[in-house]
Short mmCIF file of all heavy atoms in Angstrom, two decimals:
data_model
loop_
_atom_site.label_atom_id
_atom_site.label_comp_id
_atom_site.label_asym_id
_atom_site.label_seq_id
_atom_site.Cartn_x
_atom_site.Cartn_y
_atom_site.Cartn_z
N TYR A 1317 11.57 0.41 -6.89
CA TYR A 1317 10.75 0.03 -5.91
C TYR A 1317 10.81 0.95 -4.65
O TYR A 1317 9.93 1.16 -3.95
CB TYR A 1317 10.87 -1.46 -5.54
CG TYR A 1317 11.89 -1.87 -4.57
CD1 TYR A 1317 11.66 -1.84 -3.20
CD2 TYR A 1317 13.13 -2.31 -5.00
CE1 TYR A 1317 12.62 -2.30 -2.26
CE2 TYR A 1317 14.14 -2.71 -4.11
CZ TYR A 1317 13.88 -2.74 -2.80
OH TYR A 1317 14.81 -3.09 -1.86
N ASN A 1318 12.04 1.48 -4.41
CA ASN A 1318 12.23 2.43 -3.33
C ASN A 1318 11.49 3.69 -3.61
O ASN A 1318 10.86 4.29 -2.67
CB ASN A 1318 13.70 2.67 -3.06
CG ASN A 1318 14.42 1.63 -2.35
OD1 ASN A 1318 13.90 0.90 -1.56
ND2 ASN A 1318 15.63 1.33 -2.76
N ALA A 1319 11.58 4.20 -4.83
CA ALA A 1319 10.80 5.41 -5.19
C ALA A 1319 9.26 5.26 -5.08
O ALA A 1319 8.54 6.03 -4.47
CB ALA A 1319 11.17 5.87 -6.56
N VAL A 1320 8.75 4.09 -5.50
CA VAL A 1320 7.42 3.81 -5.39
C VAL A 1320 7.01 3.62 -3.89
O VAL A 1320 5.93 4.04 -3.50
CB VAL A 1320 7.00 2.51 -6.22
CG1 VAL A 1320 5.62 2.07 -5.93
CG2 VAL A 1320 7.18 2.82 -7.72
N CYS A 1321 7.87 2.90 -3.19
CA CYS A 1321 7.58 2.79 -1.69
C CYS A 1321 7.44 4.16 -1.02
O CYS A 1321 6.50 4.29 -0.37
CB CYS A 1321 8.73 1.97 -1.14
SG CYS A 1321 8.64 1.74 0.66
N PHE A 1322 8.35 5.05 -1.35
CA PHE A 1322 8.26 6.43 -0.70
C PHE A 1322 7.00 7.10 -1.10
O PHE A 1322 6.20 7.58 -0.30
CB PHE A 1322 9.43 7.18 -1.09
CG PHE A 1322 9.42 8.55 -0.62
CD1 PHE A 1322 9.67 8.91 0.66
CD2 PHE A 1322 9.18 9.64 -1.57
CE1 PHE A 1322 9.55 10.28 1.06
CE2 PHE A 1322 9.08 10.95 -1.12
CZ PHE A 1322 9.34 11.25 0.21
N ALA A 1323 6.68 7.16 -2.41
CA ALA A 1323 5.49 7.87 -2.91
C ALA A 1323 4.20 7.15 -2.43
O ALA A 1323 3.32 7.86 -2.00
CB ALA A 1323 5.56 7.90 -4.43
N PHE A 1324 4.23 5.86 -2.42
CA PHE A 1324 2.93 5.17 -2.07
C PHE A 1324 2.72 5.21 -0.53
O PHE A 1324 1.57 5.14 -0.14
CB PHE A 1324 3.02 3.74 -2.50
CG PHE A 1324 1.69 2.94 -2.30
CD1 PHE A 1324 0.67 3.28 -3.17
CD2 PHE A 1324 1.50 2.05 -1.27
CE1 PHE A 1324 -0.56 2.60 -3.05
CE2 PHE A 1324 0.35 1.34 -1.14
CZ PHE A 1324 -0.73 1.64 -2.00
N SER A 1325 3.66 5.53 0.23
CA SER A 1325 3.56 5.68 1.62
C SER A 1325 2.54 6.77 1.99
O SER A 1325 1.61 6.58 2.94
CB SER A 1325 4.85 5.97 2.43
OG SER A 1325 5.66 4.83 2.25
N PHE A 1326 2.49 7.76 1.20
CA PHE A 1326 1.61 8.97 1.44
C PHE A 1326 0.17 8.54 0.98
O PHE A 1326 -0.73 8.88 1.61
CB PHE A 1326 2.09 10.22 0.69
CG PHE A 1326 3.38 10.67 1.21
CD1 PHE A 1326 4.57 10.48 0.47
CD2 PHE A 1326 3.50 11.39 2.40
CE1 PHE A 1326 5.77 10.92 0.93
CE2 PHE A 1326 4.70 11.83 2.82
CZ PHE A 1326 5.86 11.60 2.18
N VAL A 1327 0.05 7.78 -0.07
CA VAL A 1327 -1.16 7.27 -0.52
C VAL A 1327 -1.77 6.24 0.48
O VAL A 1327 -2.94 6.33 0.83
CB VAL A 1327 -1.07 6.57 -1.93
CG1 VAL A 1327 -2.36 5.98 -2.33
CG2 VAL A 1327 -0.54 7.57 -2.97
N LEU A 1328 -0.93 5.42 0.97
CA LEU A 1328 -1.26 4.35 1.99
C LEU A 1328 -1.94 5.07 3.20
O LEU A 1328 -2.90 4.55 3.65
CB LEU A 1328 -0.08 3.59 2.34
CG LEU A 1328 -0.16 2.34 3.18
CD1 LEU A 1328 -0.94 1.33 2.35
CD2 LEU A 1328 1.20 1.78 3.50
N LEU A 1329 -1.36 6.11 3.67
CA LEU A 1329 -1.89 6.80 4.85
C LEU A 1329 -3.32 7.23 4.58
O LEU A 1329 -4.21 7.07 5.45
CB LEU A 1329 -1.02 7.99 5.12
CG LEU A 1329 -1.35 8.85 6.34
CD1 LEU A 1329 -1.26 8.06 7.60
CD2 LEU A 1329 -0.48 10.10 6.38
N ARG A 1330 -3.66 7.79 3.45
CA ARG A 1330 -4.96 8.30 3.17
C ARG A 1330 -6.04 7.19 2.89
O ARG A 1330 -7.14 7.22 3.33
CB ARG A 1330 -4.91 9.32 2.05
CG ARG A 1330 -4.23 10.57 2.47
CD ARG A 1330 -4.58 11.75 1.43
NE ARG A 1330 -4.12 12.95 1.97
CZ ARG A 1330 -2.91 13.40 2.07
NH1 ARG A 1330 -1.88 12.67 1.79
NH2 ARG A 1330 -2.69 14.72 2.51
N VAL A 1331 -5.55 6.23 2.05
CA VAL A 1331 -6.50 5.14 1.64
C VAL A 1331 -6.88 4.28 2.81
O VAL A 1331 -8.01 3.77 2.86
CB VAL A 1331 -5.89 4.44 0.44
CG1 VAL A 1331 -6.85 3.28 0.07
CG2 VAL A 1331 -5.74 5.32 -0.74
N THR A 1332 -5.95 4.10 3.70
CA THR A 1332 -6.21 3.11 4.82
C THR A 1332 -7.35 3.63 5.71
O THR A 1332 -7.94 2.85 6.40
CB THR A 1332 -4.93 3.00 5.66
OG1 THR A 1332 -3.91 2.43 4.85
CG2 THR A 1332 -5.09 2.00 6.82
N LYS A 1333 -7.60 4.94 5.76
CA LYS A 1333 -8.66 5.44 6.50
C LYS A 1333 -10.09 4.97 6.02
O LYS A 1333 -10.96 4.75 6.78
CB LYS A 1333 -8.77 7.04 6.37
CG LYS A 1333 -7.60 7.66 7.12
CD LYS A 1333 -7.61 9.24 6.96
CE LYS A 1333 -6.47 9.91 7.49
NZ LYS A 1333 -6.49 11.35 7.29
N TYR A 1334 -10.08 4.54 4.70
CA TYR A 1334 -11.38 4.04 4.16
C TYR A 1334 -11.46 2.57 4.15
O TYR A 1334 -12.47 2.05 4.19
CB TYR A 1334 -11.51 4.70 2.68
CG TYR A 1334 -11.52 6.16 2.68
CD1 TYR A 1334 -10.40 6.80 2.20
CD2 TYR A 1334 -12.60 6.85 3.15
CE1 TYR A 1334 -10.39 8.24 2.11
CE2 TYR A 1334 -12.54 8.27 3.12
CZ TYR A 1334 -11.46 8.90 2.59
OH TYR A 1334 -11.42 10.26 2.60
N THR A 1335 -10.29 1.90 3.89
CA THR A 1335 -10.32 0.41 3.79
C THR A 1335 -10.04 -0.33 5.12
O THR A 1335 -10.46 -1.39 5.25
CB THR A 1335 -9.20 0.00 2.69
OG1 THR A 1335 -7.91 0.39 3.29
CG2 THR A 1335 -9.44 0.57 1.41
N GLY A 1336 -9.38 0.34 6.07
CA GLY A 1336 -8.86 -0.34 7.20
C GLY A 1336 -7.46 -0.92 6.93
O GLY A 1336 -7.18 -1.30 5.81
N PRO A 1337 -6.73 -1.13 8.03
CA PRO A 1337 -5.32 -1.58 7.82
C PRO A 1337 -5.25 -3.08 7.31
O PRO A 1337 -4.34 -3.36 6.56
CB PRO A 1337 -4.65 -1.42 9.14
CG PRO A 1337 -5.75 -1.26 10.16
CD PRO A 1337 -6.97 -0.70 9.38
N LYS A 1338 -6.13 -3.91 7.78
CA LYS A 1338 -5.96 -5.34 7.44
C LYS A 1338 -6.31 -5.55 5.92
O LYS A 1338 -5.55 -6.14 5.15
CB LYS A 1338 -6.95 -6.17 8.20
CG LYS A 1338 -6.57 -6.27 9.65
CD LYS A 1338 -7.62 -7.09 10.41
CE LYS A 1338 -7.18 -7.06 11.89
NZ LYS A 1338 -8.19 -7.80 12.70
N LEU A 1339 -7.35 -4.88 5.39
CA LEU A 1339 -7.66 -5.05 3.99
C LEU A 1339 -6.59 -4.33 3.12
O LEU A 1339 -6.13 -4.97 2.12
CB LEU A 1339 -9.01 -4.36 3.71
CG LEU A 1339 -9.52 -4.39 2.25
CD1 LEU A 1339 -9.56 -5.83 1.63
CD2 LEU A 1339 -10.84 -3.65 2.07
N MET A 1340 -6.23 -3.20 3.55
CA MET A 1340 -5.16 -2.52 2.85
C MET A 1340 -3.82 -3.34 2.77
O MET A 1340 -3.22 -3.41 1.65
CB MET A 1340 -4.86 -1.09 3.39
CG MET A 1340 -4.09 -0.20 2.52
SD MET A 1340 -4.99 0.11 1.10
CE MET A 1340 -3.74 0.82 0.10
N HIS A 1341 -3.49 -3.79 3.88
CA HIS A 1341 -2.16 -4.68 3.87
C HIS A 1341 -2.42 -5.89 3.06
O HIS A 1341 -1.45 -6.26 2.26
CB HIS A 1341 -1.92 -5.07 5.33
CG HIS A 1341 -0.52 -5.67 5.49
ND1 HIS A 1341 0.53 -5.08 5.06
CD2 HIS A 1341 -0.17 -6.84 6.14
CE1 HIS A 1341 1.68 -5.80 5.43
NE2 HIS A 1341 1.15 -6.86 6.09
N SER A 1342 -3.51 -6.51 3.07
CA SER A 1342 -3.82 -7.75 2.14
C SER A 1342 -3.71 -7.31 0.67
O SER A 1342 -3.08 -8.03 -0.16
CB SER A 1342 -5.09 -8.34 2.44
OG SER A 1342 -5.18 -8.76 3.74
N LEU A 1343 -4.25 -6.28 0.37
CA LEU A 1343 -4.25 -5.79 -1.02
C LEU A 1343 -2.83 -5.49 -1.52
O LEU A 1343 -2.38 -5.85 -2.62
CB LEU A 1343 -5.14 -4.44 -1.24
CG LEU A 1343 -6.63 -4.82 -1.19
CD1 LEU A 1343 -7.39 -3.41 -1.15
CD2 LEU A 1343 -7.14 -5.71 -2.23
N CYS A 1344 -2.06 -4.71 -0.65
CA CYS A 1344 -0.73 -4.39 -0.98
C CYS A 1344 0.16 -5.63 -1.14
O CYS A 1344 1.02 -5.68 -2.04
CB CYS A 1344 -0.12 -3.44 0.09
SG CYS A 1344 -0.86 -1.81 0.05
N LEU A 1345 0.00 -6.61 -0.19
CA LEU A 1345 0.76 -7.88 -0.32
C LEU A 1345 0.40 -8.65 -1.67
O LEU A 1345 1.26 -9.22 -2.32
CB LEU A 1345 0.55 -8.65 0.89
CG LEU A 1345 1.14 -8.24 2.17
CD1 LEU A 1345 0.84 -9.13 3.31
CD2 LEU A 1345 2.63 -7.97 2.11
N GLY A 1346 -0.87 -8.58 -2.06
CA GLY A 1346 -1.24 -9.18 -3.34
C GLY A 1346 -0.55 -8.49 -4.48
O GLY A 1346 -0.20 -9.21 -5.41
N ILE A 1347 -0.60 -7.19 -4.47
CA ILE A 1347 0.10 -6.47 -5.59
C ILE A 1347 1.59 -6.81 -5.56
O ILE A 1347 2.19 -6.97 -6.66
CB ILE A 1347 -0.10 -4.92 -5.33
CG1 ILE A 1347 -1.63 -4.67 -5.62
CG2 ILE A 1347 0.68 -4.11 -6.33
CD1 ILE A 1347 -2.04 -3.22 -5.27
N GLY A 1348 2.16 -6.87 -4.39
CA GLY A 1348 3.64 -7.29 -4.30
C GLY A 1348 3.88 -8.66 -4.88
O GLY A 1348 4.79 -8.92 -5.57
N ALA A 1349 2.95 -9.60 -4.63
CA ALA A 1349 3.03 -10.97 -5.13
C ALA A 1349 2.94 -10.97 -6.61
O ALA A 1349 3.69 -11.63 -7.29
CB ALA A 1349 1.93 -11.85 -4.51
N ILE A 1350 2.10 -10.12 -7.19
CA ILE A 1350 1.98 -10.08 -8.64
C ILE A 1350 3.30 -9.45 -9.15
O ILE A 1350 3.74 -9.95 -10.20
CB ILE A 1350 0.73 -9.22 -9.05
CG1 ILE A 1350 -0.59 -9.96 -8.69
CG2 ILE A 1350 0.80 -8.87 -10.53
CD1 ILE A 1350 -1.83 -9.02 -8.73
N GLY A 1351 3.87 -8.47 -8.45
CA GLY A 1351 5.09 -7.86 -8.99
C GLY A 1351 6.22 -8.99 -8.95
O GLY A 1351 6.93 -9.05 -9.88
N LEU A 1352 6.28 -9.80 -7.92
CA LEU A 1352 7.30 -10.81 -7.85
C LEU A 1352 7.05 -11.88 -8.92
O LEU A 1352 8.00 -12.33 -9.63
CB LEU A 1352 7.35 -11.46 -6.55
CG LEU A 1352 7.96 -10.59 -5.43
CD1 LEU A 1352 7.75 -11.27 -4.02
CD2 LEU A 1352 9.48 -10.38 -5.64
N LEU A 1353 5.84 -12.29 -9.10
CA LEU A 1353 5.57 -13.35 -10.06
C LEU A 1353 5.70 -12.84 -11.55
O LEU A 1353 6.00 -13.72 -12.38
CB LEU A 1353 4.15 -13.82 -9.91
CG LEU A 1353 3.82 -14.59 -8.59
CD1 LEU A 1353 2.32 -14.82 -8.38
CD2 LEU A 1353 4.56 -15.88 -8.54
#
């Protein structure tokens, strides 16, 4: 998860320009919830 966190941080920066921070954060938290479940 640390390696993915590092790599995804660069993706997050670019994709957030298109989605906005609130939507992006919601999607990422949803993906994290799926990971935990």
